[in-house]
Amino acid sequence: MISFSARLARRDFDLDVAFEGDAGVTALFGPSGCGKTTVIRILAGLERPESGRIVLGDTVLLDTERGIRLPPHRRRIGLVFQDGQLFPHLSVAANLAYGLHFTPKAARRVDRDAVVDVLGIGHLLDRHPSNLSGGEKQRVAIGRALLTSPALLLMDEPLAALDDDRKLEILPFVERLRDEFGIPIVYVSHAVEEVARLARKVVRLDRGRVAAVGTPAEVLAPTAIARATHRFDALSLISGRVEAVDETYSVSIIAHPAGRIVLPGFLPAVGSSVQVAIRSTDVTLAMGHTEHLSVRTLLTGRVLRVETDDGPFALITVELTGGDRLYAYATRLAVDSLGLDTDDRVTALVKAVSIDERGVPGLRVVTN
Amino acid sequence: MFSDEEWTAIFLSLRVGTIATLVALPVAVAVALLLARGRFPGKAVVDGFVHLPLVLPPVVTGYVLLILFGRRGVLGAALADWFGIVFSFRWTGAALAAGVMGFPLMVRAIRLSLEAIDPRVEQAAATLGAGPLWVFVTVTLPLAARGIAAGAVLAFAKSLGEFGATITFVSNIPGQTQTIPAAIYSYTQTPGGEVGALKLSIVAAAIALGALIVSEISVRRVGRNGEAP
């Protein structure tokens, strides 16, 4: 659906990135300064690369060899900035209507009332941006971009400027956009949970280059031991089925062949498939007895691989009973003390809080 | 309360100030835009040239105007021949002098407000489908409104007080080029003119204060419409 390639050189930074995006959410993921925002700005036409080619559907937006470069206002690409960038001199209603003047009648596919409803901004229409909270501003900014019926929606860390509660306020809206308006989205983020939750495809960028492309489960899996910062970004994605909701204790139970996953809070739709993201730093491995523990999520499996280097950490890949890979970080000391080796039977202890939808790692409900 | 001659001076001052401000404003916006956004060689030279009237002795500015726009000046002769616009010893000349003297103040205020605009707000407008001209009219101008208003008031107040350049360029002719400051000067040169000078001084202060209040109110109104920088 979208094909992107561009090279750009600046005094202190150079970028050489190529990727393809499909329907749904394509996430650009990576640390600060890796070039995510630059890619977005090139896509929107706000930055001129030295060479490149961008094709969206059957429209060529940029082709430096053929001398094609559509200006931003002709690209029909919506852009949501990190901090909204609403027009401060216009009301919310006027902000929403702004792009409509420039959208030909035939191209208007997105219904205003549906957008206002999905984003929950009906009560804000008469207000001015200075009277809105961060989350409200961001919802209005998303609505404003959406109402031009863009062929592609770019979201540049739309949640980064918000605190955790506000993030949870917006995330479901982004999911509904993805599912209800059928507009492809390129989503920039350095937060692994958002990416795991929203994206169908992840492009991992590192210092202006594509480091990996694939599904969230592939790209977000741990790859290196030595880089301490990387450990906190590593995730395993486990699929299961919602088995029951326990009203007494306010927990949901997800069934997996390797064991039951206990999740605080109520999950919608008992019987539906869900994906649970587990941070690799939140997994404890046990050999032998696992009794009298407060941890409720115990998953059995077999050690597939133990990777170590000279550093303090080891990365253990566990093949869970019934499939799915679970990655765990432990110290090299622990691995040697336990005598942990390939093919050992282990039990993985996952703290319930780490798979809480409101907690750190994200959770994604796959509707079928 | 006022003599006919005094009324003439007051109305002339108002007319000169208003016309000078209105004519200079679009030019000042264009120059401010060029200085705030443009990247071109010799920008510092343009910047310095714009600020010249602020740093030169007003008499020098008036003399330069006389050379350029006088009846036999390079530009003055051409304008008179082709368009019938004559500056020398006319109220139009007083307006030109006032406009030139107030111009740098106007450009400064407008430029500051333009530089305070986050370019990403304008980029947001572009991604929503607005072409460059529309972005300028619907986003840039409203967001710079405060600076433009402030610049206009400053220039208007400055034009009311303009004396040196005016008297050098178009002299001090009652009914033609005698603005309030020139009239006050004449009074101070006349025995028994103290009362007249005092009256006109009060008028000058009142007009300047009035302009300030009007601009404050209009800016507040814009502010209430949501703009809150």
Side-chain angles (χ1 to χ4, degrees), chain A residues 41 46 72-73 77 81 83 85 87-89 98-99 102 128 144-145 148, chain B residues 118 120-121 123-132 138 142-143 225-227:
Chain A
R41 290 179 60 83
L46 301 174
H73 64 282
I77 290 183
F81 288 89
D83 42 2
Q85 299 295 348
F87 303 125
H89 57 298
Y98 189 87
F102 310 108
H128 275 275
R144 183 178 69 171
T148 60
Chain B
D118 188 331
R120 290 177 304 160
V121 182
Q123 290 169 356
T127 63
L128 291 168
T138 60
L143 291 183
N225 287 342
E227 189 209 354

PDB file of all heavy atoms in Angstrom, chain A residues 41 46 72-73 77 81 83 85 87-89 98-99 102 128 144-145 148, chain B residues 118 120-121 123-132 138 142-143 225-227:
ATOM      1  N   ARG A  41       8.300  12.967   8.628  1.00  0.00           N
ATOM      2  CA  ARG A  41       8.292  14.298   8.015  1.00  0.00           C
ATOM      3  C   ARG A  41       8.576  14.217   6.516  1.00  0.00           C
ATOM      4  O   ARG A  41       8.041  14.997   5.729  1.00  0.00           O
ATOM      5  CB  ARG A  41       9.302  15.218   8.712  1.00  0.00           C
ATOM      6  CG  ARG A  41       8.870  15.592  10.141  1.00  0.00           C
ATOM      7  CD  ARG A  41       9.898  16.483  10.829  1.00  0.00           C
ATOM      8  NE  ARG A  41      10.106  17.724  10.101  1.00  0.00           N
ATOM      9  CZ  ARG A  41       9.341  18.806  10.205  1.00  0.00           C
ATOM     10  NH1 ARG A  41       8.335  18.788  11.041  1.00  0.00           N
ATOM     11  NH2 ARG A  41       9.598  19.878   9.504  1.00  0.00           N
ATOM     12  N   LEU A  46       7.352  17.424   4.557  1.00  0.00           N
ATOM     13  CA  LEU A  46       7.869  18.559   5.314  1.00  0.00           C
ATOM     14  C   LEU A  46       9.392  18.578   5.327  1.00  0.00           C
ATOM     15  O   LEU A  46      10.006  19.530   5.789  1.00  0.00           O
ATOM     16  CB  LEU A  46       7.349  18.509   6.753  1.00  0.00           C
ATOM     17  CG  LEU A  46       5.824  18.538   6.878  1.00  0.00           C
ATOM     18  CD1 LEU A  46       5.409  18.323   8.334  1.00  0.00           C
ATOM     19  CD2 LEU A  46       5.262  19.848   6.358  1.00  0.00           C
ATOM     20  N   PRO A  72       3.211  19.302   0.659  1.00  0.00           N
ATOM     21  CA  PRO A  72       2.431  18.674   1.737  1.00  0.00           C
ATOM     22  C   PRO A  72       0.915  18.770   1.526  1.00  0.00           C
ATOM     23  O   PRO A  72       0.198  17.806   1.772  1.00  0.00           O
ATOM     24  CB  PRO A  72       2.842  19.455   2.985  1.00  0.00           C
ATOM     25  CG  PRO A  72       4.155  20.051   2.652  1.00  0.00           C
ATOM     26  CD  PRO A  72       4.205  20.234   1.173  1.00  0.00           C
ATOM     27  N   HIS A  73       0.456  19.930   1.027  1.00  0.00           N
ATOM     28  CA  HIS A  73      -1.000  20.099   0.957  1.00  0.00           C
ATOM     29  C   HIS A  73      -1.640  19.330  -0.189  1.00  0.00           C
ATOM     30  O   HIS A  73      -2.852  19.317  -0.317  1.00  0.00           O
ATOM     31  CB  HIS A  73      -1.368  21.582   0.906  1.00  0.00           C
ATOM     32  CG  HIS A  73      -0.882  22.299  -0.318  1.00  0.00           C
ATOM     33  ND1 HIS A  73       0.423  22.702  -0.457  1.00  0.00           N
ATOM     34  CD2 HIS A  73      -1.518  22.676  -1.448  1.00  0.00           C
ATOM     35  CE1 HIS A  73       0.574  23.307  -1.626  1.00  0.00           C
ATOM     36  NE2 HIS A  73      -0.586  23.304  -2.238  1.00  0.00           N
ATOM     37  N   ILE A  77      -2.185  13.320   3.156  1.00  0.00           N
ATOM     38  CA  ILE A  77      -1.656  12.544   4.270  1.00  0.00           C
ATOM     39  C   ILE A  77      -1.916  13.320   5.550  1.00  0.00           C
ATOM     40  O   ILE A  77      -1.554  14.483   5.654  1.00  0.00           O
ATOM     41  CB  ILE A  77      -0.137  12.305   4.107  1.00  0.00           C
ATOM     42  CG1 ILE A  77       0.114  11.334   2.959  1.00  0.00           C
ATOM     43  CG2 ILE A  77       0.458  11.761   5.400  1.00  0.00           C
ATOM     44  CD1 ILE A  77       1.573  10.974   2.762  1.00  0.00           C
ATOM     45  N   PHE A  81       0.833  15.425  15.299  1.00  0.00           N
ATOM     46  CA  PHE A  81       2.099  15.727  15.959  1.00  0.00           C
ATOM     47  C   PHE A  81       2.085  15.201  17.396  1.00  0.00           C
ATOM     48  O   PHE A  81       1.034  14.956  17.976  1.00  0.00           O
ATOM     49  CB  PHE A  81       2.342  17.236  16.003  1.00  0.00           C
ATOM     50  CG  PHE A  81       2.688  17.833  14.672  1.00  0.00           C
ATOM     51  CD1 PHE A  81       1.689  18.289  13.829  1.00  0.00           C
ATOM     52  CD2 PHE A  81       4.002  17.958  14.271  1.00  0.00           C
ATOM     53  CE1 PHE A  81       1.995  18.858  12.606  1.00  0.00           C
ATOM     54  CE2 PHE A  81       4.319  18.526  13.055  1.00  0.00           C
ATOM     55  CZ  PHE A  81       3.317  18.979  12.219  1.00  0.00           C
ATOM     56  N   ASP A  83       2.582  16.810  20.023  1.00  0.00           N
ATOM     57  CA  ASP A  83       1.889  17.697  20.957  1.00  0.00           C
ATOM     58  C   ASP A  83       0.708  18.397  20.285  1.00  0.00           C
ATOM     59  O   ASP A  83       0.452  19.566  20.532  1.00  0.00           O
ATOM     60  CB  ASP A  83       2.862  18.720  21.551  1.00  0.00           C
ATOM     61  CG  ASP A  83       3.810  19.265  20.496  1.00  0.00           C
ATOM     62  OD1 ASP A  83       3.658  18.871  19.324  1.00  0.00           O
ATOM     63  OD2 ASP A  83       4.679  20.071  20.824  1.00  0.00           O
ATOM     64  N   GLN A  85      -0.526  20.396  18.238  1.00  0.00           N
ATOM     65  CA  GLN A  85      -0.407  21.546  17.332  1.00  0.00           C
ATOM     66  C   GLN A  85      -1.759  21.977  16.793  1.00  0.00           C
ATOM     67  O   GLN A  85      -1.942  22.162  15.590  1.00  0.00           O
ATOM     68  CB  GLN A  85       0.561  21.247  16.175  1.00  0.00           C
ATOM     69  CG  GLN A  85       1.966  20.938  16.612  1.00  0.00           C
ATOM     70  CD  GLN A  85       2.648  22.110  17.282  1.00  0.00           C
ATOM     71  OE1 GLN A  85       2.164  23.237  17.230  1.00  0.00           O
ATOM     72  NE2 GLN A  85       3.743  21.867  17.952  1.00  0.00           N
ATOM     73  N   PHE A  87      -4.772  24.732  16.216  1.00  0.00           N
ATOM     74  CA  PHE A  87      -4.723  26.159  15.928  1.00  0.00           C
ATOM     75  C   PHE A  87      -5.242  26.904  17.150  1.00  0.00           C
ATOM     76  O   PHE A  87      -6.423  26.801  17.484  1.00  0.00           O
ATOM     77  CB  PHE A  87      -5.571  26.480  14.702  1.00  0.00           C
ATOM     78  CG  PHE A  87      -5.159  25.703  13.489  1.00  0.00           C
ATOM     79  CD1 PHE A  87      -6.068  24.928  12.801  1.00  0.00           C
ATOM     80  CD2 PHE A  87      -3.847  25.725  13.053  1.00  0.00           C
ATOM     81  CE1 PHE A  87      -5.680  24.200  11.690  1.00  0.00           C
ATOM     82  CE2 PHE A  87      -3.450  25.000  11.948  1.00  0.00           C
ATOM     83  CZ  PHE A  87      -4.365  24.232  11.258  1.00  0.00           C
ATOM     84  N   PRO A  88      -4.387  27.661  17.831  1.00  0.00           N
ATOM     85  CA  PRO A  88      -4.798  28.252  19.110  1.00  0.00           C
ATOM     86  C   PRO A  88      -5.861  29.338  18.960  1.00  0.00           C
ATOM     87  O   PRO A  88      -6.535  29.666  19.916  1.00  0.00           O
ATOM     88  CB  PRO A  88      -3.490  28.833  19.675  1.00  0.00           C
ATOM     89  CG  PRO A  88      -2.579  28.973  18.515  1.00  0.00           C
ATOM     90  CD  PRO A  88      -2.980  27.945  17.505  1.00  0.00           C
ATOM     91  N   HIS A  89      -6.004  29.890  17.739  1.00  0.00           N
ATOM     92  CA  HIS A  89      -6.956  30.982  17.557  1.00  0.00           C
ATOM     93  C   HIS A  89      -8.317  30.480  17.114  1.00  0.00           C
ATOM     94  O   HIS A  89      -9.210  31.281  16.862  1.00  0.00           O
ATOM     95  CB  HIS A  89      -6.401  31.990  16.550  1.00  0.00           C
ATOM     96  CG  HIS A  89      -6.070  31.382  15.219  1.00  0.00           C
ATOM     97  ND1 HIS A  89      -5.130  30.397  15.079  1.00  0.00           N
ATOM     98  CD2 HIS A  89      -6.569  31.612  13.989  1.00  0.00           C
ATOM     99  CE1 HIS A  89      -5.042  30.051  13.797  1.00  0.00           C
ATOM    100  NE2 HIS A  89      -5.912  30.771  13.120  1.00  0.00           N
ATOM    101  N   TYR A  98     -11.278  22.661   9.745  1.00  0.00           N
ATOM    102  CA  TYR A  98     -10.262  23.344   8.936  1.00  0.00           C
ATOM    103  C   TYR A  98      -9.932  22.613   7.633  1.00  0.00           C
ATOM    104  O   TYR A  98      -9.979  23.188   6.549  1.00  0.00           O
ATOM    105  CB  TYR A  98      -8.978  23.538   9.755  1.00  0.00           C
ATOM    106  CG  TYR A  98      -7.956  24.418   9.070  1.00  0.00           C
ATOM    107  CD1 TYR A  98      -7.987  25.790   9.223  1.00  0.00           C
ATOM    108  CD2 TYR A  98      -6.980  23.870   8.250  1.00  0.00           C
ATOM    109  CE1 TYR A  98      -7.073  26.608   8.590  1.00  0.00           C
ATOM    110  CE2 TYR A  98      -6.060  24.678   7.605  1.00  0.00           C
ATOM    111  CZ  TYR A  98      -6.109  26.051   7.781  1.00  0.00           C
ATOM    112  OH  TYR A  98      -5.205  26.844   7.145  1.00  0.00           O
ATOM    113  N   GLY A  99      -9.611  21.331   7.741  1.00  0.00           N
ATOM    114  CA  GLY A  99      -9.176  20.593   6.565  1.00  0.00           C
ATOM    115  C   GLY A  99     -10.292  20.296   5.578  1.00  0.00           C
ATOM    116  O   GLY A  99     -10.040  19.997   4.408  1.00  0.00           O
ATOM    117  N   PHE A 102     -10.568  21.984   2.214  1.00  0.00           N
ATOM    118  CA  PHE A 102      -9.598  21.635   1.174  1.00  0.00           C
ATOM    119  C   PHE A 102      -9.800  20.204   0.670  1.00  0.00           C
ATOM    120  O   PHE A 102      -9.055  19.732  -0.162  1.00  0.00           O
ATOM    121  CB  PHE A 102      -8.170  21.792   1.718  1.00  0.00           C
ATOM    122  CG  PHE A 102      -7.938  23.112   2.376  1.00  0.00           C
ATOM    123  CD1 PHE A 102      -7.817  23.202   3.753  1.00  0.00           C
ATOM    124  CD2 PHE A 102      -7.887  24.272   1.623  1.00  0.00           C
ATOM    125  CE1 PHE A 102      -7.627  24.430   4.372  1.00  0.00           C
ATOM    126  CE2 PHE A 102      -7.695  25.498   2.238  1.00  0.00           C
ATOM    127  CZ  PHE A 102      -7.570  25.574   3.613  1.00  0.00           C
ATOM    128  N   HIS A 128     -11.937  26.280  23.390  1.00  0.00           N
ATOM    129  CA  HIS A 128     -10.719  26.673  22.700  1.00  0.00           C
ATOM    130  C   HIS A 128      -9.571  25.801  23.170  1.00  0.00           C
ATOM    131  O   HIS A 128      -9.569  25.331  24.302  1.00  0.00           O
ATOM    132  CB  HIS A 128     -10.427  28.153  22.952  1.00  0.00           C
ATOM    133  CG  HIS A 128     -11.169  29.022  21.999  1.00  0.00           C
ATOM    134  ND1 HIS A 128     -10.679  29.323  20.754  1.00  0.00           N
ATOM    135  CD2 HIS A 128     -12.386  29.585  22.081  1.00  0.00           C
ATOM    136  CE1 HIS A 128     -11.555  30.058  20.117  1.00  0.00           C
ATOM    137  NE2 HIS A 128     -12.596  30.240  20.894  1.00  0.00           N
ATOM    138  N   ARG A 144      -9.041  16.081  13.719  1.00  0.00           N
ATOM    139  CA  ARG A 144      -8.791  17.080  12.687  1.00  0.00           C
ATOM    140  C   ARG A 144      -8.111  16.437  11.478  1.00  0.00           C
ATOM    141  O   ARG A 144      -8.481  16.684  10.330  1.00  0.00           O
ATOM    142  CB  ARG A 144      -7.899  18.180  13.278  1.00  0.00           C
ATOM    143  CG  ARG A 144      -7.603  19.325  12.353  1.00  0.00           C
ATOM    144  CD  ARG A 144      -6.760  20.365  13.042  1.00  0.00           C
ATOM    145  NE  ARG A 144      -5.400  19.887  13.308  1.00  0.00           N
ATOM    146  CZ  ARG A 144      -4.415  20.662  13.752  1.00  0.00           C
ATOM    147  NH1 ARG A 144      -4.642  21.937  14.010  1.00  0.00           N
ATOM    148  NH2 ARG A 144      -3.228  20.163  13.963  1.00  0.00           N
ATOM    149  N   ALA A 145      -7.119  15.591  11.740  1.00  0.00           N
ATOM    150  CA  ALA A 145      -6.408  14.928  10.644  1.00  0.00           C
ATOM    151  C   ALA A 145      -7.322  13.927   9.939  1.00  0.00           C
ATOM    152  O   ALA A 145      -7.326  13.819   8.714  1.00  0.00           O
ATOM    153  CB  ALA A 145      -5.167  14.226  11.184  1.00  0.00           C
ATOM    154  N   THR A 148     -10.058  14.964   7.088  1.00  0.00           N
ATOM    155  CA  THR A 148      -9.704  15.254   5.703  1.00  0.00           C
ATOM    156  C   THR A 148      -9.750  13.972   4.872  1.00  0.00           C
ATOM    157  O   THR A 148      -9.351  13.976   3.713  1.00  0.00           O
ATOM    158  CB  THR A 148      -8.288  15.847   5.597  1.00  0.00           C
ATOM    159  OG1 THR A 148      -7.358  14.902   6.120  1.00  0.00           O
ATOM    160  CG2 THR A 148      -8.161  17.137   6.392  1.00  0.00           C
TER     161      THR A 148
ATOM    162  N   ASP B 118       5.188  28.675  16.237  1.00  0.00           N
ATOM    163  CA  ASP B 118       5.785  27.362  16.036  1.00  0.00           C
ATOM    164  C   ASP B 118       5.548  26.945  14.583  1.00  0.00           C
ATOM    165  O   ASP B 118       4.405  26.840  14.150  1.00  0.00           O
ATOM    166  CB  ASP B 118       5.123  26.352  16.982  1.00  0.00           C
ATOM    167  CG  ASP B 118       5.826  25.011  16.970  1.00  0.00           C
ATOM    168  OD1 ASP B 118       6.422  24.656  15.931  1.00  0.00           O
ATOM    169  OD2 ASP B 118       5.775  24.307  17.996  1.00  0.00           O
ATOM    170  N   ARG B 120       5.491  24.319  13.257  1.00  0.00           N
ATOM    171  CA  ARG B 120       4.713  23.094  13.098  1.00  0.00           C
ATOM    172  C   ARG B 120       3.206  23.345  13.035  1.00  0.00           C
ATOM    173  O   ARG B 120       2.465  22.541  12.504  1.00  0.00           O
ATOM    174  CB  ARG B 120       5.050  22.104  14.214  1.00  0.00           C
ATOM    175  CG  ARG B 120       6.465  21.541  14.034  1.00  0.00           C
ATOM    176  CD  ARG B 120       6.826  20.635  15.155  1.00  0.00           C
ATOM    177  NE  ARG B 120       6.685  21.324  16.428  1.00  0.00           N
ATOM    178  CZ  ARG B 120       6.566  20.730  17.597  1.00  0.00           C
ATOM    179  NH1 ARG B 120       6.583  19.432  17.670  1.00  0.00           N
ATOM    180  NH2 ARG B 120       6.457  21.426  18.702  1.00  0.00           N
ATOM    181  N   VAL B 121       2.747  24.495  13.613  1.00  0.00           N
ATOM    182  CA  VAL B 121       1.321  24.815  13.486  1.00  0.00           C
ATOM    183  C   VAL B 121       0.995  25.065  12.013  1.00  0.00           C
ATOM    184  O   VAL B 121      -0.025  24.619  11.497  1.00  0.00           O
ATOM    185  CB  VAL B 121       0.943  26.052  14.326  1.00  0.00           C
ATOM    186  CG1 VAL B 121      -0.535  26.340  14.217  1.00  0.00           C
ATOM    187  CG2 VAL B 121       1.313  25.840  15.774  1.00  0.00           C
ATOM    188  N   GLN B 123       2.780  23.906   9.537  1.00  0.00           N
ATOM    189  CA  GLN B 123       2.931  22.626   8.840  1.00  0.00           C
ATOM    190  C   GLN B 123       1.683  21.764   9.005  1.00  0.00           C
ATOM    191  O   GLN B 123       1.276  21.067   8.071  1.00  0.00           O
ATOM    192  CB  GLN B 123       4.167  21.889   9.364  1.00  0.00           C
ATOM    193  CG  GLN B 123       5.460  22.569   8.944  1.00  0.00           C
ATOM    194  CD  GLN B 123       6.674  22.030   9.665  1.00  0.00           C
ATOM    195  OE1 GLN B 123       6.562  21.185  10.549  1.00  0.00           O
ATOM    196  NE2 GLN B 123       7.839  22.507   9.289  1.00  0.00           N
ATOM    197  N   ALA B 124       1.079  21.838  10.195  1.00  0.00           N
ATOM    198  CA  ALA B 124      -0.164  21.097  10.419  1.00  0.00           C
ATOM    199  C   ALA B 124      -1.216  21.562   9.416  1.00  0.00           C
ATOM    200  O   ALA B 124      -1.922  20.750   8.815  1.00  0.00           O
ATOM    201  CB  ALA B 124      -0.651  21.285  11.853  1.00  0.00           C
ATOM    202  N   ALA B 125      -1.316  22.871   9.223  1.00  0.00           N
ATOM    203  CA  ALA B 125      -2.285  23.410   8.269  1.00  0.00           C
ATOM    204  C   ALA B 125      -1.999  22.895   6.859  1.00  0.00           C
ATOM    205  O   ALA B 125      -2.915  22.539   6.121  1.00  0.00           O
ATOM    206  CB  ALA B 125      -2.254  24.933   8.293  1.00  0.00           C
ATOM    207  N   ALA B 126      -0.707  22.820   6.517  1.00  0.00           N
ATOM    208  CA  ALA B 126      -0.346  22.333   5.184  1.00  0.00           C
ATOM    209  C   ALA B 126      -0.757  20.876   5.002  1.00  0.00           C
ATOM    210  O   ALA B 126      -1.317  20.509   3.970  1.00  0.00           O
ATOM    211  CB  ALA B 126       1.158  22.497   4.949  1.00  0.00           C
ATOM    212  N   THR B 127      -0.526  20.042   6.031  1.00  0.00           N
ATOM    213  CA  THR B 127      -0.907  18.634   5.886  1.00  0.00           C
ATOM    214  C   THR B 127      -2.423  18.470   5.843  1.00  0.00           C
ATOM    215  O   THR B 127      -2.924  17.457   5.392  1.00  0.00           O
ATOM    216  CB  THR B 127      -0.360  17.752   7.033  1.00  0.00           C
ATOM    217  OG1 THR B 127      -0.937  18.181   8.266  1.00  0.00           O
ATOM    218  CG2 THR B 127       1.146  17.831   7.123  1.00  0.00           C
ATOM    219  N   LEU B 128      -3.148  19.492   6.309  1.00  0.00           N
ATOM    220  CA  LEU B 128      -4.612  19.418   6.237  1.00  0.00           C
ATOM    221  C   LEU B 128      -5.123  19.891   4.877  1.00  0.00           C
ATOM    222  O   LEU B 128      -6.322  19.921   4.640  1.00  0.00           O
ATOM    223  CB  LEU B 128      -5.239  20.258   7.352  1.00  0.00           C
ATOM    224  CG  LEU B 128      -5.033  19.717   8.761  1.00  0.00           C
ATOM    225  CD1 LEU B 128      -5.426  20.745   9.803  1.00  0.00           C
ATOM    226  CD2 LEU B 128      -5.821  18.434   8.967  1.00  0.00           C
ATOM    227  N   GLY B 129      -4.210  20.281   4.005  1.00  0.00           N
ATOM    228  CA  GLY B 129      -4.596  20.606   2.633  1.00  0.00           C
ATOM    229  C   GLY B 129      -4.497  22.078   2.272  1.00  0.00           C
ATOM    230  O   GLY B 129      -4.843  22.467   1.155  1.00  0.00           O
ATOM    231  N   ALA B 130      -4.039  22.925   3.197  1.00  0.00           N
ATOM    232  CA  ALA B 130      -3.978  24.353   2.908  1.00  0.00           C
ATOM    233  C   ALA B 130      -2.697  24.697   2.144  1.00  0.00           C
ATOM    234  O   ALA B 130      -1.601  24.342   2.592  1.00  0.00           O
ATOM    235  CB  ALA B 130      -4.046  25.153   4.200  1.00  0.00           C
ATOM    236  N   GLY B 131      -2.841  25.387   1.017  1.00  0.00           N
ATOM    237  CA  GLY B 131      -1.671  25.843   0.260  1.00  0.00           C
ATOM    238  C   GLY B 131      -0.992  26.981   1.002  1.00  0.00           C
ATOM    239  O   GLY B 131      -1.550  27.528   1.960  1.00  0.00           O
ATOM    240  N   PRO B 132       0.224  27.357   0.575  1.00  0.00           N
ATOM    241  CA  PRO B 132       1.000  28.367   1.312  1.00  0.00           C
ATOM    242  C   PRO B 132       0.248  29.675   1.573  1.00  0.00           C
ATOM    243  O   PRO B 132       0.326  30.220   2.678  1.00  0.00           O
ATOM    244  CB  PRO B 132       2.205  28.614   0.397  1.00  0.00           C
ATOM    245  CG  PRO B 132       2.331  27.363  -0.403  1.00  0.00           C
ATOM    246  CD  PRO B 132       0.953  26.822  -0.581  1.00  0.00           C
ATOM    247  N   THR B 138      -4.846  32.169   7.054  1.00  0.00           N
ATOM    248  CA  THR B 138      -5.696  31.596   8.105  1.00  0.00           C
ATOM    249  C   THR B 138      -4.934  31.226   9.375  1.00  0.00           C
ATOM    250  O   THR B 138      -5.550  31.022  10.412  1.00  0.00           O
ATOM    251  CB  THR B 138      -6.414  30.326   7.602  1.00  0.00           C
ATOM    252  OG1 THR B 138      -5.424  29.364   7.209  1.00  0.00           O
ATOM    253  CG2 THR B 138      -7.308  30.632   6.420  1.00  0.00           C
ATOM    254  N   PRO B 142      -3.392  35.523  11.732  1.00  0.00           N
ATOM    255  CA  PRO B 142      -4.085  35.607  13.033  1.00  0.00           C
ATOM    256  C   PRO B 142      -3.146  35.411  14.219  1.00  0.00           C
ATOM    257  O   PRO B 142      -3.307  36.071  15.249  1.00  0.00           O
ATOM    258  CB  PRO B 142      -5.105  34.464  12.969  1.00  0.00           C
ATOM    259  CG  PRO B 142      -5.257  34.127  11.534  1.00  0.00           C
ATOM    260  CD  PRO B 142      -3.990  34.507  10.843  1.00  0.00           C
ATOM    261  N   LEU B 143      -2.170  34.525  14.083  1.00  0.00           N
ATOM    262  CA  LEU B 143      -1.269  34.276  15.211  1.00  0.00           C
ATOM    263  C   LEU B 143      -0.303  35.443  15.421  1.00  0.00           C
ATOM    264  O   LEU B 143       0.232  35.618  16.509  1.00  0.00           O
ATOM    265  CB  LEU B 143      -0.498  32.974  15.009  1.00  0.00           C
ATOM    266  CG  LEU B 143      -1.335  31.695  15.097  1.00  0.00           C
ATOM    267  CD1 LEU B 143      -0.459  30.463  14.967  1.00  0.00           C
ATOM    268  CD2 LEU B 143      -2.109  31.649  16.405  1.00  0.00           C
ATOM    269  N   ASN B 225     -10.672  35.261  21.816  1.00  0.00           N
ATOM    270  CA  ASN B 225     -11.052  34.277  20.810  1.00  0.00           C
ATOM    271  C   ASN B 225     -10.131  33.069  20.798  1.00  0.00           C
ATOM    272  O   ASN B 225     -10.175  32.257  19.906  1.00  0.00           O
ATOM    273  CB  ASN B 225     -11.084  34.916  19.415  1.00  0.00           C
ATOM    274  CG  ASN B 225     -12.291  35.822  19.265  1.00  0.00           C
ATOM    275  OD1 ASN B 225     -13.239  35.712  20.038  1.00  0.00           O
ATOM    276  ND2 ASN B 225     -12.241  36.704  18.300  1.00  0.00           N
ATOM    277  N   GLY B 226      -9.271  32.992  21.774  1.00  0.00           N
ATOM    278  CA  GLY B 226      -8.530  31.756  21.909  1.00  0.00           C
ATOM    279  C   GLY B 226      -7.025  31.908  21.818  1.00  0.00           C
ATOM    280  O   GLY B 226      -6.304  31.090  22.336  1.00  0.00           O
ATOM    281  N   GLU B 227      -6.574  32.956  21.173  1.00  0.00           N
ATOM    282  CA  GLU B 227      -5.131  33.080  21.029  1.00  0.00           C
ATOM    283  C   GLU B 227      -4.526  33.448  22.367  1.00  0.00           C
ATOM    284  O   GLU B 227      -4.899  34.447  22.964  1.00  0.00           O
ATOM    285  CB  GLU B 227      -4.807  34.162  19.995  1.00  0.00           C
ATOM    286  CG  GLU B 227      -3.349  34.188  19.629  1.00  0.00           C
ATOM    287  CD  GLU B 227      -2.907  35.578  19.233  1.00  0.00           C
ATOM    288  OE1 GLU B 227      -3.752  36.473  19.143  1.00  0.00           O
ATOM    289  OE2 GLU B 227      -1.717  35.759  19.023  1.00  0.00           O
TER     290      GLU B 227
END
